[in-house]
Amino acid sequence: MMTRDGFNRSFWQSKEDIKFSTDSDDLAFDTIIVGAGITGITLAKELQNRGVKCLLLDKKNPGFGTTGGTTAHINNFYDAAYFEIINNFGKEAAKELLASTRETIDYIKRNILRYGINCDFSSCDFFLYSAEEGQDDQLEQIYAAHQELGLATYEVDEIPFNIPFRKAIQIEGQSQFHPTNYIKGLLEAYIMEGGALVTHKVISDYSNENGKIMLQTSDQRIYTANNLVWATHIPPGKNRFDFLLAPYRSYVFTLKLRDDSDILAQAADLYDPYHYFRYHRSESGYFLIVGGFDHKTGNEQDTQKHFDDLKKWIDEHFEYDELVANWSSQYYVSADGLPYIGQMPNEGNVYMATGYGGNGMTFGSMASLIIPNLIAGNETTLSNLLSPSRIKPLASVKSVFSEGTNAIKHFVTDKLSLEKINELENMPLEEGRIVKYKGQALAIYRNNDGSFNCLNSVCPHMGCTVAWNPSERSWDCPCHGSRFDVDGNMLNGPATTGLSKLDID
């Protein structure tokens, strides 16, 4: 069964694992890509098409991370609105991004046709609306910027969802699909043409000396390459992106509709955080996918309440036949609103792609229009715009200060506010707590049989105290988004190791 980095199953998880691991004896490659989500898989296939010998490596199965938990919007506009991009980067940069976005959507369509991928792909429009008077001005700024850039956008009096609104705009040119079926199709083509894929292997050692990459995996194999791509959201270890990226979680429901929808469409309001939703059509019928109530990872004690609040909002606004799935997923927001795609600072043969916000399907695919050119030595206007080395003080200084302050707050105060309990037997089953026991700070989870999993509560990345996420049954770091299961195994980086086990006897 395909797994992902959470307790709750998403709408996209197949009943069977994507078993394409080649277990190749070949150890030398042109490029190693770490992370088999949409970024890594699309990039591996694109590089293969250009004659580059690649190894695709993942600690779990393809789609384990955010790709298996996305809502699969493919949009030509972003969480950072175009008027904000114009203000921060200039009109020409915004025009370049829009043109590249259109090219990216066409690129996804070409991949689907070229490889005959059955992934429920469809084109539709997006309806963005103000739900209250205070949102009108923002909607007007978004509309004006779209007119300035030539993005087909219209003021409308109706939207294809039975939901109240004040003002609305219709944005043409959106798409959507089944994300894990899409990456499965790309992987099939990649493997069929000789591509190497290694799964369920953790990197135990890494070096980059004299322009040569060395990666050792948990099975003691040593792989070498000329180039390395971190397609893992925040790059592992300690680096500047610990303070330039903020981890967030979003909550999602999929609902089977009672009746077929007349048209496919996507929509969102302008609350902060906003509610977003779309119709989805598959062989099984019509569905509604609804998300929202996002928050900083590790900053909420009662994560189940976010599911409850989203469900209440859904019940107030939509009619449906049955609840099919609900899950939460993690994404990273960059300091200035645009992703970091390109060369790692001061490492000419190491590349990264992260900071997608809620636009991972588009930016994750766009990485394949940027990184292959950089590996070939060709910079472009787009690669310069999204370069991880860029410095935009006016756009990012407030965000950087906020994230740094958040990390410091958790590093200090979490160690002073440990919950003290006298008897572990008082803990309910299937619950996790940070407790102080016999002078040790522990992350303790109580199993169904009453036994305890006892872990060091300190995240091995930067020393922050992890927090219990009851809805996903995971330990989440509030500083930089590392996540661990109840046994301490790492689910998400940037930590490179899990939480160590402790003995409380």
Side-chain angles (χ1 to χ4, degrees):
M1 181 177 292
M2 175 189 167
T3 61
R4 56 176 296 268
D5 60 354
F7 175 78
N8 297 293
R9 286 185 56 79
S10 82
F11 185 53
W12 318 117
Q13 283 178 263
S14 61
K15 294 181 180 179
E16 297 181 357
D17 199 353
I18 303 178
K19 297 179 179 178
F20 293 125
S21 185
T22 57
D23 197 27
S24 172
D25 291 332
D26 201 347
L27 300 177
F29 297 88
D30 296 324
T31 300
I32 296 175
I33 302 168
V34 181
I38 191 169
T39 301
I41 292 172
T42 309
L43 180 58
K45 189 70 197 79
E46 179 61 31
L47 287 172
Q48 182 187 61
N49 293 348
R50 301 188 186 199
V52 178
K53 182 183 177 183
C54 294
L55 168 66
L56 184 59
L57 177 67
D58 199 283
K59 68 179 183 296
K60 293 290 185 180
N61 53 252
F64 178 78
T66 303
T67 302
T70 179
T71 52
H73 291 69
I74 308 170
N75 296 128
N76 57 18
F77 65 101
Y78 299 102
D79 289 353
Y82 278 115
F83 76 86
E84 296 172 315
I85 295 172
I86 292 172
N87 290 339
N88 291 333
F89 297 91
K91 182 178 178 180
E92 291 305 310
K95 290 173 65 176
E96 174 65 27
L97 181 61
L98 176 56
S100 300
T101 302
R102 288 168 169 160
E103 183 182 358
T104 299
I105 296 175
D106 288 340
Y107 175 66
I108 293 172
K109 294 178 184 178
R110 290 197 303 272
N111 281 339
I112 292 171
L113 292 173
R114 179 176 183 177
Y115 305 114
I117 303 173
N118 181 12
C119 60
D120 302 340
F121 180 86
S122 58
S123 298
C124 62
D125 293 343
F126 196 106
F127 295 82
L128 187 64
Y129 64 91
S130 60
E132 56 186 28
E133 184 176 358
Q135 299 171 8
D136 289 351
D137 183 60
Q138 184 181 358
L139 187 68
E140 291 169 3
Q141 291 183 78
I142 291 171
Y143 175 74
H146 287 196
Q147 300 305 306
E148 186 177 359
L149 296 176
L151 174 54
T153 304
Y154 313 96
E155 295 178 318
V156 293
D157 296 324
E158 297 180 351
I159 66 174
F161 298 91
N162 187 22
I163 194 166
F165 66 93
R166 285 179 50 82
K167 297 182 178 181
I169 58 176
Q170 179 176 348
I171 311 168
E172 293 185 352
Q174 319 308 316
S175 299
Q176 55 191 38
F177 60 7
H178 188 301
T180 57
N181 283 351
Y182 176 70
I183 63 171
K184 179 181 178 182
L186 288 179
L187 266 180
E188 288 177 338
Y190 172 73
I191 299 300
M192 186 178 299
E193 296 177 27
L197 168 67
V198 173
T199 61
H200 298 91
K201 298 294 184 294
V202 176
I203 297 172
S204 58
D205 195 15
Y206 159 71
S207 67
N208 181 15
E209 298 178 0
N210 300 318
K212 200 69 173 179
I213 302 293
M214 186 282 294
L215 284 181
Q216 180 173 327
T217 53
S218 49
D219 59 355
Q220 303 306 307
R221 290 190 180 187
I222 297 176
Y223 298 96
T224 60
N226 299 317
N227 302 289
L228 173 68
V229 182
W230 295 116
T232 55
H233 289 297
I234 189 167
K238 302 176 179 66
N239 52 67
R240 70 172 70 179
F241 299 99
D242 294 333
F243 297 98
L244 293 176
L245 293 162
Y248 280 80
R249 295 201 70 78
S250 190
Y251 296 78
V252 187
F253 280 87
T254 298
L255 313 152
K256 181 73 178 291
L257 293 175
R258 294 174 182 171
D259 302 307
D260 294 349
S261 174
D262 294 333
I263 64 170
L264 294 178
Q266 305 170 356
D269 56 35
L270 289 170
Y271 285 107
D272 185 16
Y274 59 88
H275 308 94
Y276 55 96
F277 40 97
R278 72 171 180 89
Y279 294 122
H280 183 85
R281 179 179 58 210
S282 74
E283 296 176 353
S284 302
Y286 284 80
F287 299 85
L288 183 68
I289 301 173
V290 186
F293 290 90
D294 304 12
H295 65 81
K296 284 286 301 297
T297 298
N299 275 17
E300 296 286 341
Q301 292 185 348
D302 187 2
T303 53
Q304 182 59 43
K305 184 177 185 300
H306 292 263
F307 278 122
D308 296 341
D309 289 345
L310 180 57
K311 179 64 163 49
K312 180 180 178 181
W313 187 84
I314 290 170
D315 290 342
E316 289 174 352
H317 294 95
F318 300 103
E319 293 184 357
Y320 56 92
D321 193 34
E322 63 176 311
L323 169 64
V324 177
N326 64 277
W327 70 95
S328 67
S329 189
Q330 186 151 301
Y331 63 94
Y332 282 83
V333 176
S334 74
D336 59 21
L338 294 184
Y340 302 109
I341 303 175
Q343 288 179 317
M344 284 277 288
N346 304 316
E347 289 193 89
N349 62 336
V350 179
Y351 303 83
M352 61 178 289
T354 186
Y356 299 160
N359 311 112
M361 298 299 98
T362 309
F363 282 134
S365 302
M366 188 182 291
S368 291
L369 304 180
I370 298 174
I371 293 177
N373 289 329
L374 291 175
I375 289 177
N378 301 317
E379 293 186 2
T380 65
T381 303
L382 180 63
S383 66
N384 288 331
L385 174 64
L386 303 183
S387 170
S389 297
R390 71 179 182 265
I391 299 175
K392 282 285 179 181
L394 293 179
S396 61
V397 66
K398 180 179 179 180
S399 178
V400 172
F401 179 78
S402 174
E403 296 313 318
T405 301
N406 179 74
I408 292 170
K409 179 192 74 172
H410 284 287
F411 184 82
V412 175
T413 62
D414 287 351
K415 298 181 183 303
L416 300 177
S417 60
L418 296 174
E419 181 180 356
K420 296 182 179 180
I421 59 174
N422 294 323
E423 296 184 7
L424 296 178
E425 285 73 14
N426 292 335
M427 284 182 63
L429 300 179
E430 298 184 334
E431 181 174 307
R433 292 182 184 176
I434 300 296
V435 304
K436 203 163 190 178
Y437 183 77
K438 295 185 177 180
Q440 288 183 297
L442 306 176
I444 296 184
Y445 174 77
R446 192 170 195 185
N447 298 295
N448 254 328
D449 61 4
S451 63
F452 297 96
N453 291 356
C454 304
L455 306 169
N456 190 330
S457 64
V458 177
C459 176
H461 174 232
M462 294 281 280
C464 298
T465 300
V466 296
W468 175 242
N469 181 338
S471 62
E472 294 293 355
R473 299 188 190 178
S474 62
W475 296 105
D476 298 357
C477 178
C479 293
H480 306 108
S482 298
R483 298 178 59 244
F484 312 87
D485 67 17
V486 295
D487 294 313
N489 300 310
M490 182 181 64
L491 296 172
N492 302 117
T496 57
T497 59
L499 297 177
S500 58
K501 295 183 178 181
L502 299 174
D503 185 0
I504 65 170
D505 295 332

